[in-house]
Amino acid sequence: MKNVKRVVVVLALFVTASALADARTEKRQLIAELLEAMDAKGMTQASFDAVFATMRAMTQRTSAEEMPAEYREQWEAERKKEDAELNKFREQLFTRVDYVKYAEQSYVPLFDEHFSSDELKELLAFFKTKAGQKLAALIPKIGVGGVAEGQSILMKAANDTAEQIEKEENAKTPWRPTMADLRTIATALEARATDTNDYPVVSFENLEGLLAPTYIRGVPKVDAWGTPFVYVGDGTHYRVVSAGADRRFEWGARQLDLSGTAPRESNNLDADIIFQDGIFTQYPPESGLKPEP
């Protein structure tokens, strides 16, 4: 009797396993038919093309109309060369891709995990229709291509968000962008000094012509409070000054300090911000700047 029960259990397990295997086989066949109806190979190639289109957009952000006339012909020739190289790469890539293996590894697991056999039958019926065929052709454009087309919108939103955050932070700590501008001007002065072996003896208004565009694209003109910077140079030393939050320059701000006084943090947010000979010699509290050793 026990042997009979064992035989029954084994037969039941065999039947169950066979049923599961049949169901599995049916599902795999449905997925294969669905991928054929959707033109998986064409869908894969269209997805790659959407990626190539994104690559082109990233490398060709400047249009011919934006180029100076004397560079336009050379620019257009370079773009044609890049396009030819990308097209050659695309054609060779398409001949090397094993589309059956690609579908097995990319598409089949997704359909197998997310759809039942009945749902696959419904999808198959739909993609055999005219509307289904049209949707299959659009899927790469909706997916990868949609991201590429919307890239400019996303980038603009991201840049606007970053600028807004920076603006809010600068409003809380206006001395930070001012200190950054002073460093920028000083860096350009020091870069020029490596060529000329001196610091110019001119007013701030005349610095632009000496520094731009060789050492700096454009010289910052005013601090965070809207006050024009002051520059002092004697050939050997230089100083760049912001009037600070009160917009008034302190007595002696326009004079070089050659006494070797150590840099100091002012206790007054209204105090001038002074950068001389490579260091801040006076800076506001809460700036985060550490005194020079």
Side-chain angles (χ1 to χ4, degrees):
M1 192 67 169
K2 289 182 179 179
N3 290 335
V4 173
K5 289 182 178 179
R6 288 175 183 170
V7 171
V8 171
V9 170
V10 171
L11 287 174
L13 290 173
F14 177 77
V15 170
T16 301
S18 298
L20 290 173
D22 289 343
R24 185 73 177 168
T25 301
E26 179 192 25
K27 193 173 185 182
R28 298 283 292 189
Q29 289 176 345
L30 286 169
I31 293 173
E33 291 180 41
L34 178 60
L35 291 176
E36 183 179 357
M38 295 176 67
D39 185 14
K41 178 180 178 180
M43 185 167 62
T44 301
Q45 291 181 339
S47 296
F48 290 166
D49 281 336
V51 173
F52 291 140
T54 303
M55 292 170 62
R56 282 193 178 94
M58 291 177 66
T59 58
Q60 299 181 7
R61 292 180 178 177
T62 304
S63 65
E65 291 75 15
E66 296 173 339
M67 296 292 297
E70 60 269 26
Y71 300 120
R72 190 171 302 164
E73 184 176 348
Q74 180 183 353
W75 183 89
E76 290 177 342
E78 290 175 354
R79 297 291 80 74
K80 288 179 181 179
K81 182 180 178 181
E82 289 177 2
D83 284 341
E85 290 174 350
L86 191 58
N87 286 332
K88 181 180 179 180
F89 175 80
R90 172 188 177 276
E91 291 172 4
Q92 293 189 10
L93 173 66
F94 283 178
T95 63
R96 291 174 180 268
V97 175
D98 185 338
Y99 293 99
V100 174
K101 186 176 181 179
Y102 187 94
E104 283 289 332
Q105 294 184 358
S106 301
Y107 303 138
V108 172
L110 290 173
F111 284 110
D112 190 25
E113 179 182 357
H114 296 286
F115 295 94
S116 66
S117 293
D118 289 339
E119 290 170 335
L120 288 170
K121 290 175 183 177
E122 293 177 9
L123 286 173
L124 181 58
F126 170 72
F127 279 105
K128 285 183 176 180
T129 65
K130 187 175 181 180
Q133 291 293 303
K134 185 178 291 187
L135 177 60
L138 283 173
I139 285 176
K141 295 181 180 180
I142 295 172
V144 180
V147 173
E149 292 295 328
Q151 185 177 18
S152 61
I153 297 174
L154 292 173
M155 288 302 296
K156 183 180 185 305
N159 289 335
D160 289 348
T161 301
E163 288 175 4
Q164 180 62 32
I165 292 174
E166 183 179 7
K167 183 177 180 181
E168 292 172 358
E169 289 300 317
N170 287 342
K172 296 176 184 177
T173 56
W175 56 84
R176 294 190 186 278
T178 295
M179 292 174 72
D181 284 342
L182 291 174
R183 281 195 186 95
T184 298
I185 297 168
T187 299
L189 284 165
E190 290 164 9
R192 177 184 178 276
T194 61
D195 293 336
T196 64
N197 201 33
D198 71 349
Y199 298 109
V201 185
V202 296
S203 66
F204 183 81
E205 291 74 12
N206 293 323
L207 272 185
E208 183 90 32
L210 298 175
L211 299 180
T214 305
Y215 305 103
I216 190 173
R217 179 175 297 179
V219 176
K221 303 294 193 303
V222 298
D223 61 20
W225 300 276
T227 307
F229 291 114
V230 162
Y231 167 78
V232 182
D234 67 357
T236 306
H237 304 275
Y238 72 90
R239 167 181 281 202
V240 192
V241 187
S242 159
D246 65 357
R247 303 182 181 181
R248 292 181 297 182
F249 287 97
E250 300 167 6
W251 181 87
R254 294 178 172 84
Q255 299 175 9
L256 290 165
D257 182 0
L258 307 181
S259 64
T261 304
R264 71 183 186 88
E265 179 181 270
S266 171
N267 293 322
N268 184 359
L269 281 172
D270 289 338
D272 293 358
I273 304 173
I274 304 173
F275 194 96
Q276 179 175 315
D277 294 341
I279 61 172
F280 282 100
T281 59
Q282 181 170 291
Y283 46 90
E286 303 177 20
S287 67
L289 191 68
K290 300 297 183 183
E292 296 289 330

